[in-house]
Amino acid sequence: MSQRTERRGIHVDQSDLLCKKGCGYYGNTAWQGLCSKCWREEYQRVRQKQIQDDWALAEKLQREEEAAYASSHGVQTQSHGQSPAQHSGHTSLGPFSKFEEKKTNEKTRKVTTVKKFFSPSSRTPPKKETQDSKTPSPSISRHASFDTDQVSKDFVEFLKNLQKPGREIHKQCRAFLVNMSSKKDISAEELSECVQDFYQNMVDRLMTHFKGSSESVEQVMDQVEKYIMTRLYKSVFCPETTDDEKKDLATQKRIRALHWVTIQMLCVSMDEEIPEVSENVVKAITDIIEMDSKRVPRDKLACITRCSKHIFSAIKITKNEPASADDFLPALIYIVLKANPPRLQSNIQYITRFCNPSRLMTGEDGYYFTNLCCAAAFIEKLDAQSLNLSPEEFERYMSGQASPRFNSSEGDWTSSGAASESTSINPVLVQLNQNLELLSSLSSRQERLVEAAHSLQADLLSWTESVKKEVNDILEKYPLEIQTCSVSAIDANNVDNENLPPPLTPQVFAG
């Protein structure tokens, strides 16, 4: 590994993120590299061709069945003979006609059923059912959570500003929810098509009402999407008719197996030793994990956008210059590996199927989401060449037989098992050894601290004894002498007291 000094890194041309049909919008791996518009057109074309093929097959089966029945009837007629058959043939004509009529009706019913099944109009229930079903489905109202009720109230308050068009929008949304509640066994692609058709019809009506004001239409569609998808979330997120859950488990297992991949292997331009960079990395991981807790596709996209902006900030702080697209994708892959977001594939599919298509085709939301899809696809196909490793090293790391170790002096990654056989150990044991070394250093520090405390205690005791000894020595050297004193009058030492006159005597005068 040390012999390879040049790193290939991870690079995706920006043209690879666009639709393969060259329409200029962002493509998506879930749509085979097409944007939502081109994918819907391609899906409709393939679906229409399938319907035509099924019609042709049904008509072919009908003709073959009629031919087989006619041939078998001809054989039976020849076997009966001609002589007594005029009367018997006349009498059997009635039952045969009834049987043939019954058979024809049954064939017609089968062909009609097949045509209805593959017909696009079969996805829309009759208008009579929609009009009769004015109340919402019991399952929708019974399982409405607090968040759902709050979203409904906010939606109604928003539509009040639109007055009459608002009432029509609310009526259409309620009818659509009732219609969707009856679609239990259809595939996720058909559910997505129903929602996307509703979005498109609503956009067409709003464009007519707002006279082409795309900003007003986008505001209303954001609220419509929030209301519709909050109510449908439980039934359309990771449906049982798909293998989304299986893909989620496979992705999580794959990311756990790649726990040894480091930031240097991906050539990520982020230095987590810088506090600001580390803080942005933590925020990016939090945002990508938070995506699973949101119900509305637009809110999930907002989490992806915030995560991406934190990544760009971390790269900018590290490089002291604006981040490029080539710097962003490896950093996003590193964040996904470090976060291992719950139900990543289900969330990607949910956004792909039910988000407003205009958000995925253009803008920063579409760009960041497209990069996330690329990151998820890269993780699934990550190999030794992608990380600039030899196949042997990659297999040892994946199996846990060795763990990568960064050699700071050479600035390269080397295998801990390549130096010697004894160092080729499991990453768990490496972490265990590191923890033991840390505990050992803490133990030595504690011993030094206890020793210093005992020394301080001894110093205090010796200081106390020395102070006492010094006091006693001073007392012995200068003993305390207490002198007695006699009490005398103030004028006891005055020698002229005897020459003083006697004190005055008070006299009483009678007057």
Side-chain angles (χ1 to χ4, degrees), residues 331-348:
L332 180 60
I333 294 172
Y334 173 71
I335 293 298
V336 173
L337 288 174
K338 200 166 184 178
N340 197 357
R343 301 192 291 186
L344 177 61
Q345 294 292 343
S346 291
N347 282 289
I348 290 178

Side-chain angles (χ1 to χ4, degrees), residues 22 94-97 100 107 121 162 193 207 229 240 258 295 330 355 365 379 388 402 428 443-444 459 474 484 499 502:
F96 169 73
S97 300
E100 185 178 14
K107 294 174 187 176
S121 60
L162 303 178
E193 188 177 359
M207 290 295 289
M229 297 315 303
E240 296 180 355
L258 294 170
R295 291 192 170 193
C355 184
D365 290 343
I379 291 173
N388 208 24
V428 177
S443 178
S444 61
D459 292 341
I474 293 174
T484 59
N499 299 326

Side-chain angles (χ1 to χ4, degrees), residues 383-438:
D383 55 9
Q385 185 180 6
S386 303
L387 300 175
N388 208 24
L389 298 171
S390 66
E392 294 77 13
E393 288 174 328
F394 184 81
E395 290 299 328
R396 285 202 300 269
Y397 296 158
M398 290 294 292
S399 62
Q401 297 177 357
S403 62
R405 178 177 299 171
F406 184 69
N407 190 343
S408 58
S409 61
E410 298 180 2
D412 198 3
W413 283 89
T414 58
S415 171
S416 62
S420 62
E421 189 68 24
S422 60
T423 57
S424 178
I425 55 178
N426 191 284
V428 177
L429 297 179
V430 173
Q431 185 65 38
L432 180 60
N433 290 331
Q434 293 176 354
N435 293 339
L436 290 175
E437 292 176 0
L438 180 61

